[in-house]
Every structure is written in C-alpha cells, then in structure tokens.
Amino acid sequence: MARLLLIEDDLTIRTPLLRALRERGHAVAAASTALDGLRDALDDRPDLVVLDLGLPDLDGGELLRMLRAVSSVPVIVATARDDEAEIVRMLDAGADDYLVKPFTAAQLDARARAVLRRSAADPATDPVLVVGGLRIDPRSRQVTLDGTPVELTPREFDLLHHLAGRPGQVVTKRELLTEVWRIPYGGADKTVDVHLSWLRRKLGESAQEPCYLHTVRGVGVRLDVPGSSR
C-alpha cells in the first residue's frame, strides 16, 4: 500500500480524489495549503506527493522547490495550468510527472504507480557507466571527466546518464523528452537544445567542436567516445 499526500485546496477536487485513490488501495492524506503540505511531507514522509500549483498561501512551484531542497520524495504536479513552458519549468524544478486537469482518478492512479515503480528501482543495481574519460555513477549521481568532478544539475545528470546508457546510438529529442523530462509528446525541442548546450559547456566542448556530444541534424544527439569514427 502506497502512502500518498494530496496537496489540493479545492474541496470539490480533493474529496472525490481522496475517496477514489483510497478505493484503489492507497493510504492517502491531504493538505489544503502549501505550508501544511510541506509540514506533512517532512513529518509523515509519504511515498509520493500529488501537488496542485494554485494554492492559497504559496504557489505550488515554490513549494516544489522547497521540497526539493530537503527531500527526494517523488512529486506529481496536478494542475489546470497547461502551458508548455510551465510544464517544462516544473519538470526541470524536480517534478517527476505533470498531469493537467481535468483528469480522472484512474489516470492519476496510473501515473502514481508508474512514478512509484521508477522511484523503487534499486540504484545499487544500476551500473556505473564509463564512456571514454566520462564516469557516471547513478548511485551517488556523480560525474567525473578524466578524474575531475563535473557539477551537474539533476536534469543535466539524467540527460547525460540516458545518453551514456546508449553510447554510439542516435537518441531522438522525442525520446529524451519522454524518458528524461517525462513529457509524453514532442514540441519542446528547445528545452533539449538548451540543456544540451549547458551540458556541453560543462564538458568543455561546443556544438561546433564536439567531443562527446554529437548532434545529428534533424534526428537527435549521439554520445561517442572521443576520436571514434562515424
């Protein structure tokens, strides 16, 4: 039985969701304000948080950032805000999934189970990846390049880890959006491009002078061992 925390101020949404999620076997607590939700998340340590953004005392995006500063609890943002830039911003801020209202309890339950499956994966079974001078440790979430630590944001780490798990393969932007950002559709290519640019800078390369990260125009990106021929 998963323990969920629903942070939602709208009683007409909160009450039926609580009932439906409990009927599906979850133990669900609820909070109607951001500060109550933060306190409950830290005190009760739920398995997953479902977070509305339009809270009365504090924007849910700010609460997400506060949570991420002190906790790695999985978070599903569930909100009426359907702007693509907002979706990407929340996922970059640390949300594990994003669900736009209106949605059914069955949809939320399916998303929750998927996020919980991902979060339950044992990092000890995920091997350290080595590509050339890059060493990527998923357990500690640390990266070194030729023995020197590389400081990455969580999203940059996830992006590099996904690519390093497929060395020499061209990975499409659509796949990156789906697997790294958890956005189940295309249309946010600029988000991938921006993060690739940041990642290249931290690896000491550029799109014009690539070393590890090679853009395949119109298709995606490939991570290669430096000097390998294509």
Side-chain angles (χ1 to χ4, degrees):
M1 178 184 292
R3 294 176 301 112
L4 310 185
L5 173 60
L6 174 62
I7 306 176
E8 167 64 65
D9 67 310
D10 189 333
L11 190 62
T12 64
I13 296 175
R14 187 172 71 243
T15 299
L17 274 182
L18 280 171
R19 182 175 60 250
L21 290 171
R22 286 167 178 164
E23 289 174 352
R24 285 168 169 78
H26 302 294
V28 192
S32 59
T33 68
L35 294 182
D36 284 347
L38 179 62
R39 182 198 62 213
D40 292 348
L42 298 181
D43 290 348
D44 300 338
R45 302 179 65 85
D47 298 313
L48 182 141
V49 172
V50 179
L51 174 63
D52 178 37
L53 296 182
L55 299 171
D57 56 336
L58 192 68
D59 185 79
E62 184 61 30
L63 174 56
L64 175 61
R65 285 182 278 274
M66 294 168 67
L67 269 175
R68 277 293 165 262
V70 294
S71 173
S72 60
V73 61
V75 175
I76 296 176
V77 170
T79 179
R81 301 179 193 175
D82 59 358
D83 178 67
E84 183 181 277
E86 179 74 1
I87 294 172
V88 171
R89 190 157 47 244
M90 290 301 99
L91 292 169
D92 278 342
D96 296 271
D97 204 346
Y98 194 106
L99 194 56
V100 177
K101 298 175 182 176
F103 53 81
T104 66
Q107 289 173 324
L108 177 56
D109 178 47
R111 296 288 187 96
R113 287 186 282 107
V115 169
L116 288 168
R117 282 195 300 272
R118 294 197 297 266
S119 65
D122 183 2
T125 65
D126 205 353
V128 172
L129 301 177
V130 178
V131 182
L134 273 173
R135 185 179 187 275
I136 302 157
D137 186 341
R139 187 172 188 179
S140 64
R141 294 185 67 85
Q142 293 181 340
V143 174
T144 58
L145 176 58
D146 298 327
T148 301
V150 180
E151 296 295 329
L152 301 180
T153 67
R155 195 65 65 189
E156 290 165 354
F157 180 92
D158 292 341
L159 175 58
L160 182 61
H161 181 261
H162 188 83
L163 293 171
R166 298 151 183 78
Q169 298 180 26
V170 178
V171 180
T172 66
K173 292 179 181 179
R174 179 177 293 273
E175 177 180 334
L176 292 172
L177 286 168
T178 301
E179 298 299 325
V180 178
W181 275 266
R182 304 295 175 186
I183 302 177
Y185 50 79
D189 289 4
K190 288 184 179 178
T191 296
V192 177
D193 293 336
V194 168
H195 281 77
L196 282 171
S197 176
W198 292 340
L199 188 54
R200 283 189 172 106
R201 190 178 309 149
K202 292 183 178 181
L203 297 179
E205 59 182 83
S206 68
Q208 293 72 35
E209 297 182 2
C211 185
Y212 285 93
L213 298 171
H214 299 261
T215 297
V216 179
R217 189 175 298 276
V219 182
V221 64
R222 183 184 71 241
L223 189 145
D224 265 336
V225 176
S228 61
S229 58
R230 290 284 161 191

